[in-house]
Amino acid sequence: MHYGRRPRTESGRPQANPTQKQRGPEAMNRRVVITGVETISALGRGLDPLWDACLAGRTGIGIIERFDPSEYKAHIAAEVDLDFDGGGRIDPKLMKRADPFVRYACWTADVALEKSGLVIDDSNRHRVGTLIGSGIGGMSTWEEQFTRLLQRGPDRVSPFMIPMMIIDMASGMVSMNAGAMGPNLAVVTACASGAHAIAASADLIKLGRADAMITGGAEAGVSKSALGGFCAAGALSTRNDDPEHACRPFDKSRDGFVMGDGATTYIVEELQHALDRGAPILAEIAGIGLSGDAHHFTEPCPDGSGALIAMKAALEDAGIGVEDIDYINAHGPGTPAGDYSEAITLAKLLGDEVGNIPVSSTKPIHGHMLGATGPTELALCIKAMEEGIIPHTTNLNDPEYPELDHVMGEPREAKVEIVASNSFGFGGHNITLIIRRYEG
């Protein structure tokens, strides 16, 4: 085998490698579509149970059961079973060495692959990558092993502690289970992690570094330490006597967000790659907007200037105006500062269209799933396009920002072709994703 320099043309430039995929400015014209998606949440396994709950206004939020929360200011969360074993789809040996957030990622990825019809084999595995985001990773593993360290000494700490808790292991184990050998990495941007993972996956495909990516977000953050930290920060709702109505995005009486567990994983592909194999195309990723607040550890810019940059960039990337958006899925966590900043940002963005474009948040149903929130909400946006129904913001009765077209009281029937979804994270991480119905 010859390992020397590549043969050169008469001009002295290296000859193109015929096996290399197109990259550079031309490759950035590659279109990226979604061909598979699956979710696990406090409402159960699958996207359909979550969607049904959204339409019914039925929440997965309740009193925390996995530990006694009575000493904390907040007692409520939207929990997923920590003992979830992969639903019989994943190697049991693999699951024993996986933190719950990794198990959720592996299960949703396996189902999403099945739905997309993408078969990974020796012919394509080097062109299929994995990129799963998470905000805080294996918290339950960290707590369990640290308790063991304190009580039984360092020799009793599991040799699997580190690989179980690190955030990139969701991508790692998904790639192992699927046999995907393309780009393999993780994204951590707090509550925007999963949305950033989708955006980064789309960019990798546009750059020609992969033809398909398994991507999304996973989280199992409802733990003693995380709950304690968020309580200390004053970020959580303390309506412990009324979990069903605790999360109240954009309402004047809102008092904080409610934590949630779960995962949502996608199969995203280059358009022609999907068409060539006859894949079901659920939506096209039309626009991506990214920005930073450069403002504060946890609070957003009071004037919304950071988020506005991301929203405008997404519109420009999609080549559309605000009047083309049919629905905005707001980040809307239910925090006083967060909702205020997002609302005034949307008002600035929409201008004269402020009362014409529906806005809602679904967090009162599935909770704030941290790094898994963005992908989960985007999946609900896909359902809104498919069903022609916009989910309402449950528990929104008295909007502080009535100038916005809040979907409240009940779901709204509407033709939904283009959707924008916002995700924001501690540290000033902002992202807006725009998807549209694929029509060829």
Side-chain angles (χ1 to χ4, degrees), residues 326-356:
D326 298 310
Y327 166 50
I328 296 174
N329 182 281
H331 183 65
T335 59
D339 287 9
Y340 172 81
S341 176
E342 186 173 13
I344 63 172
T345 302
L346 288 172
K348 291 178 181 178
L349 177 77
L350 299 177
D352 294 340
E353 297 292 331
V354 68
N356 300 327

Side-chain angles (χ1 to χ4, degrees), residues 246-393:
C247 183
R248 305 182 183 192
F250 301 113
D251 195 90
K252 289 180 180 179
S253 64
R254 68 193 185 281
D255 72 328
F257 76 85
V258 180
M259 294 182 69
D261 291 331
T264 297
T265 305
Y266 292 82
I267 309 304
V268 297
E269 301 181 50
E270 189 271 327
L271 173 60
Q272 194 59 51
H273 183 270
L275 292 175
D276 287 347
R277 67 181 192 84
I281 297 178
L282 306 179
E284 179 176 0
I285 299 176
I288 297 169
L290 312 172
S291 71
D293 281 346
H295 173 66
H296 189 269
F297 287 134
T298 58
E299 293 185 3
C301 294
D303 62 358
S305 56
L308 186 59
I309 293 171
M311 295 181 200
K312 287 183 174 180
L315 288 170
E316 183 178 357
D317 191 38
I320 62 172
V322 293
E323 68 279 1
D324 297 313
I325 301 174
D326 298 310
Y327 166 50
I328 296 174
N329 182 281
H331 183 65
T335 59
D339 287 9
Y340 172 81
S341 176
E342 186 173 13
I344 63 172
T345 302
L346 288 172
K348 291 178 181 178
L349 177 77
L350 299 177
D352 294 340
E353 297 292 331
V354 68
N356 300 327
I357 299 175
V359 177
S360 72
S361 169
T362 57
K363 286 184 175 65
I365 304 301
H366 49 72
H368 193 343
M369 300 162 69
L370 309 182
T373 295
T376 300
E377 292 169 341
L378 194 69
L380 294 171
C381 292
I382 292 173
K383 291 294 291 184
M385 286 197 302
E386 291 177 345
E387 304 294 335
I389 302 175
I390 298 173
H392 61 300
T393 304

Side-chain angles (χ1 to χ4, degrees), residues 4 27 41 46 109 137 152 162 167 191 211 243 277 288-289 319 383 429:
S41 70
R152 302 172 65 184
I162 300 301
I167 286 171
C191 302
D211 293 325
R277 67 181 192 84
I288 297 169
K383 291 294 291 184
H429 308 289

Side-chain angles (χ1 to χ4, degrees), residues 129-133 167-168 170-172 182-187 197 200 204 213-214:
T130 53
L131 207 174
I132 311 293
I167 286 171
D168 68 301
S171 289
N184 183 348
L185 60 157
V187 169
L204 285 170
M213 295 289 295
I214 307 169

